[in-house]
Amino acid sequence: MDRAQGGIEDWITRQKAVSEAALRGAISREDLTHERKGFGVTIRPRRGSVLASPVSAHYDPDPDYFFHWFRDSAVIMEALRVSEEISSANALFADFIRFNDDLRHLNGAEAPSREASTAPEFQQYLRPPSDLAAVHGEDVSREARVNADGTLDFTRWARPQKDGPAARALTLARWWDRIGPDIRPTALDLIVEDLHAIRSHLDEPSYDIWEEELGDHYYTDLLQCAALKVAAVLFTKLGEPGSAACDEAAERLEDKLARYVCDEGWYHSRLPTSGTDERKCLDMATIFAVLHSDFDDGRHSVLDPSVQATFLRLEDHFAMAYPINKEGPGALAPAMGRYPGDHYFSGGAYYFSTFAAAEFHFTLALATSLGARLPITLANRPFLLRCLGEDLVAADCAVVRPSPEVSERFLHRGDAFLKTARAFTPPSGELSEQFDQTDGRQTSAKDLAWSHAAFLTATHRREQARAAARNEG
């Protein structure tokens, strides 16, 4: 092991301890309070809630992320599942199930009015009472978020958000074998309700993963498809009804997902409409969709040539767009953001995007160690050449055959993205949402749980890939 490799190993070990502590610090934080003074309320998290960020902020300048997001909480709990060092993981997940079960009983028509307690300058941010009153039953899970105390979010926000039920159902199904028998009926009820919500609103538009644009989105549709497929297998295993309905809905989504491939052979992140920002058709959300869905092979997996072509375009964009990628660690593997033209806070690099880039390559390393072949097309050849080199991607070949060298080069490329993230991570291991594209300073929400979760899932996949590579060798 060379000194550079030893350095990354030591950093991973240290950062794991920090990130695992950060996950614990986001879940069931009953000891915290958060005042939303402009609205005259104090939020005290309930057991089982998952905070996107436990740091109290009020857009001063950091954003207020003291909420339980449905999608984020599922991502964080998935990271908890693969973090074996967190001994209390099963108990925390049981609390998460109970908290989500209680949310099913929320009724916006019974929510207290906030107008009297809200300052005049904050009235514009209040949700219309009629909009809030319409939220009940399975519609609660199509909210983007709820307050950490288990009440409905009374502020204006992007709704509906259809990836929430899909993300939660996937996480519950993947945890299934570790869920205690006493809480399994509740978990099954949640999965059934989430799948019903997906099927009932299959053809309706949704806001995207970034909660900015209403329409049809690759991330949402692929996550829903994955949830339907995983649930169908679980229902069959348990002898529960619903497998056929899930399979039918998944087939409809598969037909729709084929429409996201553009003429150049890469995936658009949204289906164009009159109000679509064309720059956002290239979006890291596509890669998150593939990683969160986690298909083993075929279309919409890391082995899909169109997915690889999409990643290459994203990498090339951020390599050119961000000054921090012109020299230093970012020159070898760029710090990754969300999409071209992003102006949210610094509009810069995101920790979870850069860790996702690493996880993408580690997943390819794992797949090839397990025997996967890589088709070579006009669209993905440049990606394969960048990762593997001309000696492994011959001009006259139509496929890259698995070998220890192929797996090792994907591992090396994934480590390059980890090293870029490490270069912009302070010695404390704290991970905000973004780091500035010009000087690398941390910006936006502090101690973002998703940033830590993305590190943990990436390094878990790295460990899997390295173990498979050892067996392969």
Side-chain angles (χ1 to χ4, degrees):
M1 179 184 296
D2 62 29
R3 184 177 299 175
Q5 186 66 12
I8 193 69
E9 298 292 345
D10 291 343
W11 175 72
I12 287 172
T13 299
R14 294 193 303 271
Q15 187 60 43
K16 272 187 179 178
V18 174
S19 291
E20 286 166 350
L23 288 199
R24 289 193 297 268
I27 304 167
S28 295
R29 290 303 306 272
E30 296 176 287
D31 58 312
L32 297 180
T33 59
H34 174 62
E35 291 188 38
R36 293 200 172 100
K37 294 181 179 179
F39 300 102
V41 297
T42 299
I43 303 298
R44 295 179 175 84
R46 282 181 51 195
R47 182 180 296 274
S49 62
V50 181
L51 294 167
S53 168
V55 178
S56 186
H58 310 275
Y59 291 92
D60 53 356
D62 297 338
D64 178 1
Y65 282 6
F66 205 87
F67 288 93
H68 175 101
W69 259 273
F70 285 100
R71 174 193 56 255
D72 290 37
S73 65
V75 170
I76 292 158
M77 286 312 214
E78 178 60 14
L80 183 72
R81 184 177 69 88
V82 303
S83 299
E84 297 296 336
E85 296 303 315
I86 300 180
S87 58
S88 57
N90 288 3
L92 290 172
F93 194 73
D95 290 337
F96 171 77
I97 292 171
R98 295 185 183 97
F99 177 80
N100 278 272
D101 182 52
D102 287 344
L103 297 179
R104 298 167 60 204
H105 307 295
L106 290 176
N107 186 339
E110 299 172 355
S113 172
R114 298 294 178 188
E115 291 186 9
S117 63
T118 299
E121 63 271 24
F122 281 81
Q123 292 284 338
Q124 61 182 314
Y125 304 117
L126 277 179
R127 191 173 184 178
S130 59
D131 182 51
L132 189 60
V135 181
H136 55 83
E138 69 182 27
D139 287 336
V140 173
S141 65
R142 295 194 308 128
E143 296 277 289
R145 62 194 191 183
V146 293
N147 289 312
D149 61 3
T151 60
L152 289 172
D153 179 17
F154 52 80
T155 62
R156 294 180 184 269
W157 203 254
R159 303 175 178 93
Q161 192 77 32
K162 293 202 300 180
D163 57 22
R168 187 170 67 182
L170 271 174
T171 296
L172 288 166
R174 288 168 177 164
W175 270 85
W176 186 261
D177 290 339
R178 292 175 56 175
I179 297 174
D182 59 321
I183 201 71
R184 276 190 175 184
T186 304
L188 183 60
D189 285 346
L190 283 167
I191 294 172
V192 169
E193 184 170 287
D194 285 340
L195 272 294
H196 185 266
I198 292 171
R199 296 196 306 270
S200 299
H201 304 280
L202 206 61
D203 299 318
E204 298 174 13
S206 169
Y207 276 90
D208 63 319
I209 184 176
W210 312 128
E211 299 164 6
E212 296 174 344
E213 189 174 274
L214 185 66
D216 294 293
H217 305 283
Y218 182 85
Y219 179 88
T220 304
D221 286 334
L222 186 58
L223 215 66
Q224 290 183 124
C225 185
L228 288 161
K229 286 176 172 289
V230 169
V233 173
L234 179 63
F235 290 162
T236 299
K237 172 184 173 181
L238 300 177
E240 294 286 333
S243 294
C246 287
D247 285 335
E248 181 183 354
E251 289 177 7
R252 288 173 57 193
L253 282 171
E254 286 179 324
D255 291 341
K256 181 181 179 182
L257 285 161
R259 295 163 52 198
Y260 286 91
V261 182
C262 67
D263 293 341
E264 293 88 353
W266 54 279
Y267 285 110
H268 280 182
S269 64
R270 60 255 294 128
L271 295 180
T273 64
S274 58
T276 297
D277 184 344
E278 292 185 3
R279 294 174 299 177
K280 293 172 72 172
C281 285
L282 180 65
D283 194 326
M284 195 67 186
T286 304
I287 304 304
F288 281 113
V290 172
L291 294 176
H292 292 172
S293 298
D294 198 24
F295 290 123
D296 291 334
D297 53 31
R299 298 189 64 173
H300 314 298
S301 75
V302 296
L303 300 175
D304 183 342
S306 293
V307 170
Q308 296 166 13
T310 306
F311 185 90
L312 183 74
R313 292 180 74 94
L314 284 159
E315 182 181 337
D316 286 348
H317 167 74
F318 293 119
M320 293 298 296
Y322 294 167
I324 57 173
N325 290 331
K326 301 296 177 60
E327 58 184 28
L332 179 61
M336 305 288 282
R338 297 194 302 176
Y339 53 80
D342 186 4
H343 296 295
Y344 183 68
F345 278 80
S346 72
Y350 281 69
Y351 284 106
F352 56 58
S353 293
T354 309
F355 291 135
E359 184 175 349
F360 186 80
H361 291 83
F362 296 146
T363 306
L364 278 165
L366 175 61
T368 51
S369 290
L370 296 176
R373 295 155 59 97
L374 301 171
I376 303 173
T377 68
L378 186 63
N380 77 333
R381 180 179 289 274
F383 171 82
L384 295 175
L385 283 169
R386 180 170 298 174
C387 294
L388 304 177
E390 293 183 358
D391 57 324
L392 296 179
V393 187
D396 58 347
C397 288
V399 66
V400 174
R401 290 178 172 81
S403 71
E405 184 65 21
V406 168
S407 304
E408 181 60 32
R409 292 191 189 182
F410 279 129
L411 274 166
H412 181 76
R413 188 65 183 155
D415 277 352
F417 284 100
L418 283 187
K419 290 174 182 178
T420 296
R422 177 186 62 174
F424 297 103
T425 300
S428 65
E430 293 173 288
L431 298 174
S432 60
E433 184 172 46
Q434 298 182 41
F435 48 105
D436 189 89
Q437 60 177 280
T438 301
D439 58 20
R441 62 183 173 83
Q442 293 201 355
T443 64
S444 191
K446 291 182 173 65
D447 206 18
L448 189 79
W450 187 353
S451 294
H452 291 285
F455 169 81
L456 291 170
T457 55
T459 51
H460 173 72
R461 188 52 51 94
R462 181 180 187 267
E463 291 169 3
Q464 289 181 310
R466 285 163 63 87
R470 287 193 293 269
N471 293 334
E472 182 186 24

